[in-house]
Amino acid sequence: MWASLFLLLFAHTGKCLADFAFISNLDRDVEIQSCVARVIEQTFGLSRRFTYIYNDYIEYLPSAIANPIIVINARKPWSHHYNFYEAMYVIEAFDSGTLRETMKALKESTLWHPHSTREGKFVILTNEKDLASIFRAVWKFSILHVVLVVFEDGTNGKVVTSDPKTQENGCGLTPKLFDYQDCDANLAIKFLSPMRNYNQCPVFIDFHNPYDHRLKYIKPLLPVIEDVLNTTSIRVREPPSKPEMMAVGE
């Protein structure tokens, strides 16, 4: 009899624990989606369209969100019908290797714009513990506005940002200095202004239009700009040469 009562009690307790674990996981999923929605709102605003890129299955996309969204599976062939939209991206990447593959696919797609994408805003949703590898994977494309939401075991998300243009971060080569925030109602995401202290790190200026006449005016001003921005050098990446005009009749 006692054995039967013990088994009954054990079975009932086990079921309660299983139900509790299910409810706890469900609550955590709700918290994670709330966190992602909060980060999206602060990064893009409530009405701006953004592109949500995932790998095979969607894990973190909030079920109720006001923004227009383009959803793309990075593991499938990217449609050539995608045009460049606003340079705002949310990328699900379990680790840095997945992120590198996704960034490469994005770079080769029609969604990439050589100027606007680099000035765009990126939210990276990841479980990667090596934060330096995540920032390097994005900074290598000269993308500066990056927000990481890191989901470690048992947490509802930490929001991490960093400035590549510091000596502590090796001017973007060796990320070490990170700013952490809890993903709660006190979250405040701020992006750095282009006109700021670059801490003796190099700066790139891209010109993609061979007919852009600003280039000839900016070059003489580079020493002054370098002094104002506290940068060691401003490197101008020029477009290909203008195509030779064909003579009439050729």
Side-chain angles (χ1 to χ4, degrees):
M1 177 181 177
W2 288 108
S4 299
L5 287 173
F6 177 78
L7 289 173
L8 180 63
L9 178 62
F10 179 80
H12 179 72
T13 304
K15 181 179 183 303
C16 289
L17 289 174
D19 290 344
F20 177 76
F22 173 77
I23 293 171
S24 297
N25 288 335
L26 186 61
D27 288 343
R28 182 169 181 261
D29 289 343
V30 171
E31 289 291 333
I32 287 175
Q33 288 205 4
S34 297
C35 167
V36 174
R38 187 177 292 117
V39 171
I40 288 173
E41 178 182 344
Q42 290 208 17
T43 305
F44 307 139
L46 287 173
S47 59
R48 305 290 291 277
R49 175 166 49 191
F50 66 88
T51 302
Y52 194 97
I53 304 173
Y54 66 100
N55 286 270
D56 284 337
Y57 62 92
I58 297 174
E59 189 169 359
Y60 300 121
L61 179 62
S63 55
I65 194 165
N67 305 63
I69 308 172
I70 302 163
V71 181
I72 297 174
N73 184 353
R75 300 287 185 177
K76 303 293 184 181
W78 292 47
S79 171
H80 293 293
H81 296 294
Y82 291 129
N83 293 318
F84 170 74
Y85 298 99
E86 292 185 270
M88 300 183 181
Y89 306 90
V90 178
I91 299 177
E92 284 191 14
F94 181 80
D95 54 25
S96 57
T98 304
L99 180 59
R100 285 192 294 270
E101 293 174 2
T102 305
M103 291 300 299
K104 182 176 183 293
L106 175 61
K107 176 71 165 56
E108 295 171 353
S109 76
T110 53
L111 283 171
W112 183 273
H113 186 277
H115 176 68
S116 298
T117 302
R118 289 191 173 100
E119 293 188 349
K121 296 177 180 178
F122 282 71
V123 173
I124 311 297
L125 312 177
T126 185
N127 294 77
E128 178 66 73
K129 295 181 179 179
D130 182 5
L131 301 183
S133 65
I134 294 290
F135 279 109
R136 276 198 304 267
V138 185
W139 287 349
K140 71 174 293 186
F141 294 96
S142 300
I143 294 166
L144 306 183
H145 297 152
V146 184
V147 180
L148 267 57
V149 186
V150 183
F151 301 105
E152 296 183 352
D153 294 338
T155 68
N156 298 328
K158 282 283 187 183
V159 178
V160 188
T161 53
S162 187
D163 180 5
K165 300 301 183 180
T166 65
Q167 291 299 317
E168 292 87 348
N169 285 332
C171 295
L173 298 177
T174 54
K176 295 178 182 177
L177 185 63
F178 310 117
D179 295 317
Y180 296 87
Q181 295 186 67
D182 292 325
C183 196
D184 55 22
N186 297 317
L187 179 67
I189 297 174
K190 296 180 180 179
F191 293 102
L192 297 169
S193 168
M195 299 300 295
R196 59 188 172 90
N197 183 359
Y198 282 81
N199 300 292
Q200 292 293 292
C201 292
V203 174
F204 292 91
I205 299 178
D206 290 296
F207 285 87
H208 302 283
N209 182 356
Y211 300 97
D212 194 332
H213 299 293
R214 293 175 299 174
L215 184 57
K216 66 180 180 181
Y217 298 110
I218 286 180
K219 276 189 172 181
L221 296 175
L222 290 182
V224 177
I225 299 174
E226 289 173 0
D227 185 58
V228 171
L229 298 181
N230 187 27
T231 174
T232 53
S233 64
I234 295 182
R235 303 170 189 174
V236 177
R237 291 187 283 215
E238 299 185 34
S241 301
K242 296 180 183 179
E244 294 293 329
M245 296 184 64
M246 297 179 64
V248 176
E250 289 187 0

